[in-house]
Amino acid sequence: MQFNNTTMIEEILINNTVAALEILYKQKVDKQLIQIQKTKKEFEGDLTIVVFPLLKFSRKNPEQTANEIGEYLKNNLDEINKFNVVKGFLNLVISDEFWLDFFLQNHKKEKYEYFEKNNGESIVIEFSSPNTNKPLHLGHIRNNLVGNSIAAILKASGKKVKKVNLVNDRGIHICKSMIAWQLWGKNQTPDITNKKGDKFVGDFYVKFEKENKKETAILIADGVDKDKAAQQTPLMEKARKMLVNWESGEKETRELWEKMNNWVYMGFDKTYDRLGIDFDKTYYESDTYLLGKEIVINGLKERILFKKDDGSVWADLTDHKLDKKLLLRPDGTSVYITQDIGTAQLRHDEYNADKLLYVVGNEQIYHFNVLKIILEKLGRKWAENIIHIAYGMVELPHGKMKSREGTVVDADDLMSEMHLTAKTTTEELGKIEGFSADEAEELFEIIGQGALKYFILKVDPKKNMLFNPVESIDFNGNTGPFIQYTYARIKSLLRKARERNITLSDNIPDNINIHPKEKQVIKNLYDFSETIQQAAENYSPAIIANYVYNLVKDYNQFYQEIPILREENPDLLNFRLKLSEFTSRVIKTSMELLGIKVPERM
RNA sequence: GGUCCAGUAGCUCAGCUGGAUAGAGCAGCAGCCUUCUAAGCUGCGGGUCACAGGUUCGAAUCCUGUCUGGAUCACCA
């Protein structure tokens, strides 16, 4: 939703302050020096100019300077009603007409109108990137939600966005699951066992690790070196052999691989569906793992890279104060980063994007640094447009999630728990009268998902965050359900208005009295466009989450203090309903940017 | 050891491109439903912004150092 604040008030103030300084003190002052901020709540005013930096131009004390500038602005701008000065702070009261004008120009806008005047930069964003041997957990949820939300925010800010996923579907770890299934799972399938496909396959991976541990213990007892034992078990031999067969394209292995991966995908799809995540394109490592090799070999020819005696190929990063990095093993096979060099090139060629974003955990910061440096060394100027959005880990009260210790918070389980909590809470509050069973279930899902998603997205993605499974996620206060509730409450108001045959009119007299609580809501609405830009620049859904929370909080104060349907003056009644409707639309749009649905009633 | 990130109320988090007396929610205490949905609203208590210096008219915010926690520095992905 792009609002018409082409007459951005801040811009007007800055320009006129510059003019004031020129007229009052005969000084040409750079716009950059004019600082405008929101007036703190405890003072009268809407916007504040900080005059301290201007003192060297006025050569007067802060109060005098502020008063003189204030006087000038008040006399020259219709938007300024009055002002007051506290120390070096010039607090300006913006006229009700200005806010009302903004309201009148924008209250009708129904849907998104992207920032067309924006450059329309094109962006490819990769996120999710799961392994096919492990079911998704809370960490993946954060990745998916952050990636999906950033994509939505970038779109809303006027960019062209492609969402892509890169599935890690090959490698020794997949072979482990396959071996385990061959040995212990013959003829079982997710259907027969009534298990979700990714869980089904994941269990075989765990089984492999468990059995391998036993074999390792036997080897160690036989005197094999501890560090090497785990690699030398009969099971590992089998897995490695399978990987060789896979790489040579052996039919039987490939068929098994395909069968098991498809089970996993069916499971993943369910999780993605439930989370509301989708992609424009999915890549598979089995298709891309050979990419990059050629680039490396060319780099070797151009002597950008070097070869060791054993035949391995390396990049020397010591000029960047980093170590040397292996790119091709002595046998010529590639490693992780070689593959990433290839996929980056592929993506660049395919989309010709201005930016390539990667939503990947912060433990890979080093990897992406190295990737960019190597690509730049290889003459890919566009490597500077690779941006690693490094999000923090989700920690549990006792540290990281560890599958070995059974402390992994499973994605599906968590969503189901949230659904159940939503159900219990809603029923306790007695809010499902008049809902059909299906409607009620849908509502519980919306609320449960809302609580979970908001809980995760309101935290700055860069930071590590804590999840305590014992204390369930809140439904009161700064939470998803609180925001959903406010939306539902507005919808209820609007329904009631309709029942009473009150029709909303676009005709709003420009002389109505705006209550401070109403003005506060309008100011929030005014900030929406700017907030989207900010969230886009910072790749931060948290900025949207905090914005919508503030909006909702201020709306609730208005709702609680001022009569709406009970108002007798028809113009005021109409205005307040329109204000509520406008607010509901911004709530809905904000929540969409977070991937959170809002219910019509709850 | 090198590099990077973080440390703000009992807990979870905002604020960090320098500005006024550092903000929310949860938890605790006290109020508000015969009137538009109380998943709400109002009030109270709670802080050496890890510590020490520095820059500045002004520092939670920028710089340096120290401490604490985390990540990373693989022929794993």
Side-chain angles (χ1 to χ4, degrees), chain A residues 89 168 329 431 460 466 485 489 496 559 566 602:
Chain A
F89 298 92
N168 180 302
R329 298 187 185 101
K431 298 242 181 184
D460 183 342
L466 190 110
Y485 172 73
R489 201 150 69 162
K496 286 232 160 76
Y559 177 93
R566 283 168 295 171
M602 72 184 271

mmCIF file of all heavy atoms in Angstrom, chain A residues 89 168 329 431 460 466 485 489 496 559 566 602, chain B residues 13-14 19 24 35-39 75-77:
data_model
loop_
_atom_site.group_PDB
_atom_site.id
_atom_site.type_symbol
_atom_site.label_atom_id
_atom_site.label_comp_id
_atom_site.label_asym_id
_atom_site.label_seq_id
_atom_site.Cartn_x
_atom_site.Cartn_y
_atom_site.Cartn_z
ATOM 1 N N PHE A 89 15.250 21.991 21.562
ATOM 2 C CA PHE A 89 14.317 21.222 20.746
ATOM 3 C C PHE A 89 13.130 22.068 20.341
ATOM 4 O O PHE A 89 12.442 22.628 21.190
ATOM 5 C CB PHE A 89 13.848 19.986 21.512
ATOM 6 C CG PHE A 89 14.978 19.061 21.852
ATOM 7 C CD1 PHE A 89 15.651 19.174 23.058
ATOM 8 C CD2 PHE A 89 15.390 18.101 20.946
ATOM 9 C CE1 PHE A 89 16.716 18.340 23.360
ATOM 10 C CE2 PHE A 89 16.453 17.264 21.245
ATOM 11 C CZ PHE A 89 17.115 17.380 22.445
ATOM 12 N N ASN A 168 19.157 -29.819 -0.709
ATOM 13 C CA ASN A 168 20.325 -30.689 -0.601
ATOM 14 C C ASN A 168 19.860 -32.128 -0.645
ATOM 15 O O ASN A 168 19.454 -32.703 0.347
ATOM 16 C CB ASN A 168 21.046 -30.395 0.711
ATOM 17 C CG ASN A 168 22.253 -31.255 0.884
ATOM 18 O OD1 ASN A 168 22.149 -32.476 0.871
ATOM 19 N ND2 ASN A 168 23.392 -30.641 1.016
ATOM 20 N N ARG A 329 39.160 -31.424 -4.773
ATOM 21 C CA ARG A 329 39.959 -32.448 -4.101
ATOM 22 C C ARG A 329 40.988 -33.026 -5.084
ATOM 23 O O ARG A 329 40.856 -32.845 -6.305
ATOM 24 C CB ARG A 329 39.059 -33.563 -3.589
ATOM 25 C CG ARG A 329 38.046 -33.118 -2.548
ATOM 26 C CD ARG A 329 37.324 -34.337 -1.988
ATOM 27 N NE ARG A 329 36.267 -33.966 -1.077
ATOM 28 C CZ ARG A 329 34.968 -33.936 -1.391
ATOM 29 N NH1 ARG A 329 34.585 -34.243 -2.613
ATOM 30 N NH2 ARG A 329 34.083 -33.608 -0.499
ATOM 31 N N LYS A 431 -15.285 -18.210 22.884
ATOM 32 C CA LYS A 431 -15.398 -17.337 21.712
ATOM 33 C C LYS A 431 -15.875 -18.046 20.462
ATOM 34 O O LYS A 431 -15.810 -17.472 19.379
ATOM 35 C CB LYS A 431 -14.022 -16.724 21.421
ATOM 36 C CG LYS A 431 -13.524 -15.862 22.543
ATOM 37 C CD LYS A 431 -13.347 -14.445 22.092
ATOM 38 C CE LYS A 431 -12.819 -13.599 23.237
ATOM 39 N NZ LYS A 431 -12.721 -12.199 22.879
ATOM 40 N N ASP A 460 14.575 -9.211 15.765
ATOM 41 C CA ASP A 460 15.529 -8.876 14.716
ATOM 42 C C ASP A 460 16.199 -10.153 14.200
ATOM 43 O O ASP A 460 16.809 -10.885 14.964
ATOM 44 C CB ASP A 460 16.581 -7.931 15.305
ATOM 45 C CG ASP A 460 17.588 -7.461 14.272
ATOM 46 O OD1 ASP A 460 17.700 -8.106 13.214
ATOM 47 O OD2 ASP A 460 18.258 -6.452 14.528
ATOM 48 N N LEU A 466 15.735 -16.820 21.898
ATOM 49 C CA LEU A 466 15.513 -17.920 22.818
ATOM 50 C C LEU A 466 14.078 -18.424 22.731
ATOM 51 O O LEU A 466 13.139 -17.639 22.675
ATOM 52 C CB LEU A 466 15.795 -17.447 24.242
ATOM 53 C CG LEU A 466 15.833 -18.578 25.254
ATOM 54 C CD1 LEU A 466 17.250 -18.781 25.741
ATOM 55 C CD2 LEU A 466 14.913 -18.293 26.408
ATOM 56 N N TYR A 485 -6.738 -10.141 17.081
ATOM 57 C CA TYR A 485 -7.936 -9.816 17.857
ATOM 58 C C TYR A 485 -8.434 -8.417 17.534
ATOM 59 O O TYR A 485 -9.631 -8.184 17.338
ATOM 60 C CB TYR A 485 -7.603 -9.940 19.348
ATOM 61 C CG TYR A 485 -8.687 -9.462 20.259
ATOM 62 C CD1 TYR A 485 -9.851 -10.203 20.430
ATOM 63 C CD2 TYR A 485 -8.557 -8.265 20.949
ATOM 64 C CE1 TYR A 485 -10.852 -9.757 21.264
ATOM 65 C CE2 TYR A 485 -9.549 -7.818 21.783
ATOM 66 C CZ TYR A 485 -10.703 -8.558 21.946
ATOM 67 O OH TYR A 485 -11.689 -8.111 22.773
ATOM 68 N N ARG A 489 -11.926 -7.332 15.930
ATOM 69 C CA ARG A 489 -12.812 -6.411 16.639
ATOM 70 C C ARG A 489 -13.276 -5.296 15.708
ATOM 71 O O ARG A 489 -14.430 -4.893 15.734
ATOM 72 C CB ARG A 489 -12.062 -5.838 17.842
ATOM 73 C CG ARG A 489 -12.964 -5.303 18.873
ATOM 74 C CD ARG A 489 -12.398 -5.396 20.261
ATOM 75 N NE ARG A 489 -11.271 -4.504 20.453
ATOM 76 C CZ ARG A 489 -10.836 -4.143 21.666
ATOM 77 N NH1 ARG A 489 -11.434 -4.599 22.760
ATOM 78 N NH2 ARG A 489 -9.823 -3.359 21.790
ATOM 79 N N LYS A 496 -21.457 -4.632 12.463
ATOM 80 C CA LYS A 496 -22.562 -4.041 13.226
ATOM 81 C C LYS A 496 -23.082 -2.786 12.533
ATOM 82 O O LYS A 496 -24.293 -2.546 12.487
ATOM 83 C CB LYS A 496 -22.089 -3.682 14.637
ATOM 84 C CG LYS A 496 -21.924 -4.894 15.521
ATOM 85 C CD LYS A 496 -22.686 -4.703 16.831
ATOM 86 C CE LYS A 496 -22.941 -6.040 17.498
ATOM 87 N NZ LYS A 496 -21.746 -6.580 18.157
ATOM 88 N N TYR A 559 -10.113 3.061 20.570
ATOM 89 C CA TYR A 559 -11.320 2.233 20.656
ATOM 90 C C TYR A 559 -11.894 2.250 22.070
ATOM 91 O O TYR A 559 -13.106 2.305 22.277
ATOM 92 C CB TYR A 559 -10.958 0.801 20.245
ATOM 93 C CG TYR A 559 -12.080 -0.194 20.355
ATOM 94 C CD1 TYR A 559 -12.887 -0.468 19.259
ATOM 95 C CD2 TYR A 559 -12.316 -0.868 21.549
ATOM 96 C CE1 TYR A 559 -13.914 -1.384 19.352
ATOM 97 C CE2 TYR A 559 -13.343 -1.790 21.654
ATOM 98 C CZ TYR A 559 -14.135 -2.040 20.549
ATOM 99 O OH TYR A 559 -15.158 -2.957 20.640
ATOM 100 N N ARG A 566 -21.564 4.375 19.029
ATOM 101 C CA ARG A 566 -22.453 5.110 19.930
ATOM 102 C C ARG A 566 -22.428 6.608 19.674
ATOM 103 O O ARG A 566 -23.153 7.364 20.292
ATOM 104 C CB ARG A 566 -22.055 4.822 21.381
ATOM 105 C CG ARG A 566 -22.517 3.457 21.863
ATOM 106 C CD ARG A 566 -21.851 3.114 23.162
ATOM 107 N NE ARG A 566 -20.405 2.970 22.973
ATOM 108 C CZ ARG A 566 -19.531 2.845 23.965
ATOM 109 N NH1 ARG A 566 -19.936 2.863 25.206
ATOM 110 N NH2 ARG A 566 -18.260 2.710 23.704
ATOM 111 N N MET A 602 -13.054 -13.512 16.033
ATOM 112 C CA MET A 602 -12.390 -14.445 16.945
ATOM 113 C C MET A 602 -12.794 -14.165 18.390
ATOM 114 O O MET A 602 -13.408 -13.139 18.666
ATOM 115 C CB MET A 602 -10.869 -14.365 16.799
ATOM 116 C CG MET A 602 -10.210 -13.112 17.342
ATOM 117 S SD MET A 602 -8.426 -13.024 17.030
ATOM 118 C CE MET A 602 -7.743 -13.827 18.455
ATOM 119 P P C B 13 15.061 -13.348 23.385
ATOM 120 O OP1 C B 13 15.306 -14.295 22.295
ATOM 121 O OP2 C B 13 16.186 -12.824 24.167
ATOM 122 O "O5'" C B 13 14.207 -12.143 22.783
ATOM 123 C "C5'" C B 13 14.803 -10.924 22.437
ATOM 124 C "C4'" C B 13 13.703 -9.940 22.172
ATOM 125 O "O4'" C B 13 13.053 -9.585 23.419
ATOM 126 C "C3'" C B 13 14.148 -8.602 21.615
ATOM 127 O "O3'" C B 13 14.313 -8.698 20.208
ATOM 128 C "C2'" C B 13 12.999 -7.689 21.998
ATOM 129 O "O2'" C B 13 11.908 -7.852 21.133
ATOM 130 C "C1'" C B 13 12.635 -8.224 23.374
ATOM 131 N N1 C B 13 13.294 -7.496 24.477
ATOM 132 C C2 C B 13 12.822 -6.220 24.812
ATOM 133 O O2 C B 13 11.868 -5.755 24.172
ATOM 134 N N3 C B 13 13.410 -5.528 25.812
ATOM 135 C C4 C B 13 14.426 -6.067 26.471
ATOM 136 N N4 C B 13 14.978 -5.369 27.452
ATOM 137 C C5 C B 13 14.935 -7.369 26.156
ATOM 138 C C6 C B 13 14.345 -8.037 25.156
ATOM 139 P P A B 14 15.219 -7.614 19.449
ATOM 140 O OP1 A B 14 15.464 -8.172 18.123
ATOM 141 O OP2 A B 14 16.354 -7.161 20.269
ATOM 142 O "O5'" A B 14 14.178 -6.430 19.284
ATOM 143 C "C5'" A B 14 14.420 -5.226 19.939
ATOM 144 C "C4'" A B 14 13.323 -4.274 19.635
ATOM 145 O "O4'" A B 14 12.587 -4.074 20.866
ATOM 146 C "C3'" A B 14 13.844 -2.909 19.230
ATOM 147 O "O3'" A B 14 13.986 -2.807 17.832
ATOM 148 C "C2'" A B 14 12.765 -1.985 19.791
ATOM 149 O "O2'" A B 14 11.622 -1.952 18.950
ATOM 150 C "C1'" A B 14 12.424 -2.692 21.090
ATOM 151 N N9 A B 14 13.298 -2.306 22.207
ATOM 152 C C8 A B 14 14.225 -3.081 22.864
ATOM 153 N N7 A B 14 14.839 -2.461 23.842
ATOM 154 C C5 A B 14 14.287 -1.192 23.820
ATOM 155 C C6 A B 14 14.511 -0.049 24.611
ATOM 156 N N6 A B 14 15.377 -0.005 25.603
ATOM 157 N N1 A B 14 13.789 1.059 24.314
ATOM 158 C C2 A B 14 12.907 1.012 23.311
ATOM 159 N N3 A B 14 12.596 0.005 22.502
ATOM 160 C C4 A B 14 13.339 -1.086 22.814
ATOM 161 P P G B 19 20.267 9.334 18.781
ATOM 162 O OP1 G B 19 19.795 8.017 19.127
ATOM 163 O OP2 G B 19 19.663 10.106 17.676
ATOM 164 O "O5'" G B 19 20.242 10.229 20.077
ATOM 165 C "C5'" G B 19 18.997 10.741 20.466
ATOM 166 C "C4'" G B 19 19.240 11.893 21.387
ATOM 167 O "O4'" G B 19 20.234 12.817 20.861
ATOM 168 C "C3'" G B 19 17.948 12.676 21.584
ATOM 169 O "O3'" G B 19 17.782 12.916 22.955
ATOM 170 C "C2'" G B 19 18.208 13.961 20.772
ATOM 171 O "O2'" G B 19 17.605 15.064 21.395
ATOM 172 C "C1'" G B 19 19.711 14.122 20.869
ATOM 173 N N9 G B 19 20.370 14.853 19.801
ATOM 174 C C8 G B 19 20.370 14.606 18.465
ATOM 175 N N7 G B 19 21.145 15.408 17.786
ATOM 176 C C5 G B 19 21.682 16.250 18.747
ATOM 177 C C6 G B 19 22.592 17.315 18.627
ATOM 178 O O6 G B 19 23.139 17.745 17.623
ATOM 179 N N1 G B 19 22.874 17.906 19.850
ATOM 180 C C2 G B 19 22.342 17.499 21.052
ATOM 181 N N2 G B 19 22.719 18.168 22.129
ATOM 182 N N3 G B 19 21.487 16.493 21.196
ATOM 183 C C4 G B 19 21.211 15.918 19.999
ATOM 184 P P A B 24 6.317 2.377 28.077
ATOM 185 O OP1 A B 24 5.159 3.277 28.209
ATOM 186 O OP2 A B 24 6.885 1.697 29.257
ATOM 187 O "O5'" A B 24 5.960 1.296 26.991
ATOM 188 C "C5'" A B 24 5.747 0.006 27.402
ATOM 189 C "C4'" A B 24 5.599 -0.885 26.211
ATOM 190 O "O4'" A B 24 6.892 -1.108 25.603
ATOM 191 C "C3'" A B 24 5.116 -2.243 26.636
ATOM 192 O "O3'" A B 24 3.704 -2.259 26.647
ATOM 193 C "C2'" A B 24 5.745 -3.156 25.588
ATOM 194 O "O2'" A B 24 5.035 -3.080 24.369
ATOM 195 C "C1'" A B 24 7.106 -2.493 25.406
ATOM 196 N N9 A B 24 8.129 -2.916 26.370
ATOM 197 C C8 A B 24 8.681 -2.157 27.376
ATOM 198 N N7 A B 24 9.596 -2.786 28.079
ATOM 199 C C5 A B 24 9.649 -4.037 27.489
ATOM 200 C C6 A B 24 10.434 -5.174 27.769
ATOM 201 N N6 A B 24 11.338 -5.216 28.747
ATOM 202 N N1 A B 24 10.254 -6.273 27.002
ATOM 203 C C2 A B 24 9.342 -6.215 26.023
ATOM 204 N N3 A B 24 8.547 -5.217 25.662
ATOM 205 C C4 A B 24 8.754 -4.135 26.440
ATOM 206 P P U B 35 -22.872 -4.183 29.027
ATOM 207 O OP1 U B 35 -22.648 -5.063 27.861
ATOM 208 O OP2 U B 35 -21.743 -3.801 29.891
ATOM 209 O "O5'" U B 35 -23.602 -2.864 28.536
ATOM 210 C "C5'" U B 35 -24.475 -2.876 27.415
ATOM 211 C "C4'" U B 35 -24.164 -1.703 26.528
ATOM 212 O "O4'" U B 35 -24.068 -0.495 27.328
ATOM 213 C "C3'" U B 35 -22.809 -1.766 25.839
ATOM 214 O "O3'" U B 35 -22.863 -2.570 24.666
ATOM 215 C "C2'" U B 35 -22.541 -0.296 25.507
ATOM 216 O "O2'" U B 35 -23.266 0.102 24.358
ATOM 217 C "C1'" U B 35 -23.142 0.401 26.730
ATOM 218 N N1 U B 35 -22.110 0.750 27.735
ATOM 219 C C2 U B 35 -21.537 2.001 27.633
ATOM 220 O O2 U B 35 -21.855 2.798 26.765
ATOM 221 N N3 U B 35 -20.568 2.281 28.573
ATOM 222 C C4 U B 35 -20.133 1.461 29.581
ATOM 223 O O4 U B 35 -19.258 1.856 30.340
ATOM 224 C C5 U B 35 -20.774 0.173 29.621
ATOM 225 C C6 U B 35 -21.716 -0.126 28.723
ATOM 226 P P C B 36 -21.597 -3.376 24.227
ATOM 227 O OP1 C B 36 -22.107 -4.649 23.669
ATOM 228 O OP2 C B 36 -20.576 -3.378 25.284
ATOM 229 O "O5'" C B 36 -21.032 -2.495 23.028
ATOM 230 C "C5'" C B 36 -21.783 -2.405 21.820
ATOM 231 C "C4'" C B 36 -20.855 -2.277 20.639
ATOM 232 O "O4'" C B 36 -20.288 -0.951 20.619
ATOM 233 C "C3'" C B 36 -19.656 -3.214 20.628
ATOM 234 O "O3'" C B 36 -19.995 -4.428 19.996
ATOM 235 C "C2'" C B 36 -18.595 -2.444 19.831
ATOM 236 O "O2'" C B 36 -18.581 -2.817 18.467
ATOM 237 C "C1'" C B 36 -19.064 -0.990 19.915
ATOM 238 N N1 C B 36 -18.105 -0.107 20.594
ATOM 239 C C2 C B 36 -18.058 1.222 20.162
ATOM 240 O O2 C B 36 -18.786 1.591 19.261
ATOM 241 N N3 C B 36 -17.197 2.068 20.756
ATOM 242 C C4 C B 36 -16.394 1.622 21.733
ATOM 243 N N4 C B 36 -15.577 2.501 22.293
ATOM 244 C C5 C B 36 -16.437 0.253 22.186
ATOM 245 C C6 C B 36 -17.294 -0.575 21.588
ATOM 246 P P U B 37 -18.809 -5.521 19.623
ATOM 247 O OP1 U B 37 -18.134 -4.979 18.462
ATOM 248 O OP2 U B 37 -19.512 -6.819 19.521
ATOM 249 O "O5'" U B 37 -17.735 -5.630 20.811
ATOM 250 C "C5'" U B 37 -18.090 -6.150 22.073
ATOM 251 C "C4'" U B 37 -17.033 -7.144 22.504
ATOM 252 O "O4'" U B 37 -16.877 -8.157 21.479
ATOM 253 C "C3'" U B 37 -15.660 -6.534 22.729
ATOM 254 O "O3'" U B 37 -15.146 -7.001 23.974
ATOM 255 C "C2'" U B 37 -14.819 -7.104 21.576
ATOM 256 O "O2'" U B 37 -13.470 -7.343 21.967
ATOM 257 C "C1'" U B 37 -15.495 -8.436 21.348
ATOM 258 N N1 U B 37 -15.275 -9.001 20.025
ATOM 259 C C2 U B 37 -14.532 -10.179 19.978
ATOM 260 O O2 U B 37 -14.092 -10.731 20.967
ATOM 261 N N3 U B 37 -14.336 -10.665 18.712
ATOM 262 C C4 U B 37 -14.791 -10.117 17.554
ATOM 263 O O4 U B 37 -14.542 -10.682 16.489
ATOM 264 C C5 U B 37 -15.548 -8.906 17.688
ATOM 265 C C6 U B 37 -15.756 -8.395 18.892
ATOM 266 P P A B 38 -14.576 -5.947 25.034
ATOM 267 O OP1 A B 38 -15.655 -5.564 25.939
ATOM 268 O OP2 A B 38 -13.854 -4.915 24.281
ATOM 269 O "O5'" A B 38 -13.507 -6.772 25.886
ATOM 270 C "C5'" A B 38 -12.213 -7.026 25.365
ATOM 271 C "C4'" A B 38 -11.463 -7.860 26.379
ATOM 272 O "O4'" A B 38 -11.296 -7.082 27.594
ATOM 273 C "C3'" A B 38 -12.221 -9.120 26.773
ATOM 274 O "O3'" A B 38 -11.297 -10.162 27.056
ATOM 275 C "C2'" A B 38 -12.911 -8.713 28.070
ATOM 276 O "O2'" A B 38 -13.166 -9.787 28.935
ATOM 277 C "C1'" A B 38 -11.855 -7.779 28.680
ATOM 278 N N9 A B 38 -12.448 -6.799 29.582
ATOM 279 C C8 A B 38 -13.180 -5.689 29.272
ATOM 280 N N7 A B 38 -13.592 -5.018 30.312
ATOM 281 C C5 A B 38 -13.091 -5.735 31.386
ATOM 282 C C6 A B 38 -13.186 -5.538 32.766
ATOM 283 N N6 A B 38 -13.823 -4.522 33.316
ATOM 284 N N1 A B 38 -12.566 -6.433 33.563
ATOM 285 C C2 A B 38 -11.920 -7.447 32.994
ATOM 286 N N3 A B 38 -11.767 -7.743 31.711
ATOM 287 C C4 A B 38 -12.375 -6.836 30.953
ATOM 288 P P A B 39 -10.948 -11.235 25.917
ATOM 289 O OP1 A B 39 -11.787 -10.995 24.747
ATOM 290 O OP2 A B 39 -10.963 -12.534 26.577
ATOM 291 O "O5'" A B 39 -9.451 -10.883 25.522
ATOM 292 C "C5'" A B 39 -8.413 -11.013 26.470
ATOM 293 C "C4'" A B 39 -7.114 -11.243 25.733
ATOM 294 O "O4'" A B 39 -7.224 -12.481 25.000
ATOM 295 C "C3'" A B 39 -6.813 -10.155 24.705
ATOM 296 O "O3'" A B 39 -5.406 -9.979 24.601
ATOM 297 C "C2'" A B 39 -7.353 -10.749 23.413
ATOM 298 O "O2'" A B 39 -6.696 -10.284 22.269
ATOM 299 C "C1'" A B 39 -7.043 -12.232 23.621
ATOM 300 N N9 A B 39 -7.917 -13.122 22.862
ATOM 301 C C8 A B 39 -9.241 -12.975 22.539
ATOM 302 N N7 A B 39 -9.729 -13.953 21.839
ATOM 303 C C5 A B 39 -8.648 -14.818 21.688
ATOM 304 C C6 A B 39 -8.506 -16.046 21.039
ATOM 305 N N6 A B 39 -9.486 -16.656 20.403
ATOM 306 N N1 A B 39 -7.291 -16.620 21.065
ATOM 307 C C2 A B 39 -6.299 -16.022 21.703
ATOM 308 N N3 A B 39 -6.299 -14.857 22.374
ATOM 309 C C4 A B 39 -7.519 -14.311 22.310
ATOM 310 P P C B 75 39.659 -28.960 4.476
ATOM 311 O OP1 C B 75 39.807 -29.541 5.770
ATOM 312 O OP2 C B 75 40.796 -28.306 3.839
ATOM 313 O "O5'" C B 75 39.173 -30.087 3.494
ATOM 314 C "C5'" C B 75 38.133 -29.794 2.616
ATOM 315 C "C4'" C B 75 37.723 -31.090 1.966
ATOM 316 O "O4'" C B 75 38.800 -31.511 1.088
ATOM 317 C "C3'" C B 75 37.513 -32.213 2.992
ATOM 318 O "O3'" C B 75 36.423 -32.950 2.542
ATOM 319 C "C2'" C B 75 38.814 -33.012 2.920
ATOM 320 O "O2'" C B 75 38.640 -34.420 3.080
ATOM 321 C "C1'" C B 75 39.256 -32.788 1.462
ATOM 322 N N1 C B 75 40.708 -32.804 1.276
ATOM 323 C C2 C B 75 41.223 -33.732 0.381
ATOM 324 O O2 C B 75 40.438 -34.497 -0.202
ATOM 325 N N3 C B 75 42.555 -33.787 0.180
ATOM 326 C C4 C B 75 43.356 -32.949 0.835
ATOM 327 N N4 C B 75 44.662 -33.040 0.599
ATOM 328 C C5 C B 75 42.856 -31.993 1.750
ATOM 329 C C6 C B 75 41.528 -31.954 1.950
ATOM 330 P P C B 76 35.570 -33.968 2.932
ATOM 331 O OP1 C B 76 35.946 -34.819 4.085
ATOM 332 O OP2 C B 76 35.411 -34.554 1.643
ATOM 333 O "O5'" C B 76 34.217 -33.195 3.242
ATOM 334 C "C5'" C B 76 33.953 -32.575 4.456
ATOM 335 C "C4'" C B 76 32.483 -32.763 4.705
ATOM 336 O "O4'" C B 76 32.180 -32.287 6.017
ATOM 337 C "C3'" C B 76 31.576 -31.952 3.781
ATOM 338 O "O3'" C B 76 31.342 -32.642 2.552
ATOM 339 C "C2'" C B 76 30.316 -31.823 4.626
ATOM 340 O "O2'" C B 76 29.532 -33.009 4.521
ATOM 341 C "C1'" C B 76 30.890 -31.743 6.045
ATOM 342 N N1 C B 76 30.974 -30.365 6.576
ATOM 343 C C2 C B 76 30.048 -30.012 7.567
ATOM 344 O O2 C B 76 29.209 -30.846 7.919
ATOM 345 N N3 C B 76 30.088 -28.769 8.098
ATOM 346 C C4 C B 76 31.010 -27.901 7.678
ATOM 347 N N4 C B 76 31.020 -26.712 8.237
ATOM 348 C C5 C B 76 31.966 -28.245 6.670
ATOM 349 C C6 C B 76 31.913 -29.479 6.140
ATOM 350 P P A B 77 30.913 -31.889 1.262
ATOM 351 O OP1 A B 77 30.802 -32.913 0.210
ATOM 352 O OP2 A B 77 31.776 -30.709 1.035
ATOM 353 O "O5'" A B 77 29.486 -31.350 1.671
ATOM 354 C "C5'" A B 77 28.296 -32.081 1.399
ATOM 355 C "C4'" A B 77 27.168 -31.327 2.058
ATOM 356 O "O4'" A B 77 27.602 -30.899 3.369
ATOM 357 C "C3'" A B 77 26.769 -30.031 1.365
ATOM 358 O "O3'" A B 77 25.812 -30.257 0.338
ATOM 359 C "C2'" A B 77 26.196 -29.197 2.500
ATOM 360 O "O2'" A B 77 24.882 -29.564 2.792
ATOM 361 C "C1'" A B 77 27.096 -29.610 3.655
ATOM 362 N N9 A B 77 28.219 -28.666 3.824
ATOM 363 C C8 A B 77 29.419 -28.638 3.162
ATOM 364 N N7 A B 77 30.212 -27.673 3.540
ATOM 365 C C5 A B 77 29.487 -27.001 4.509
ATOM 366 C C6 A B 77 29.775 -25.878 5.316
ATOM 367 N N6 A B 77 30.919 -25.195 5.247
ATOM 368 N N1 A B 77 28.827 -25.470 6.191
ATOM 369 C C2 A B 77 27.681 -26.153 6.247
ATOM 370 N N3 A B 77 27.309 -27.226 5.553
ATOM 371 C C4 A B 77 28.258 -27.607 4.693
#
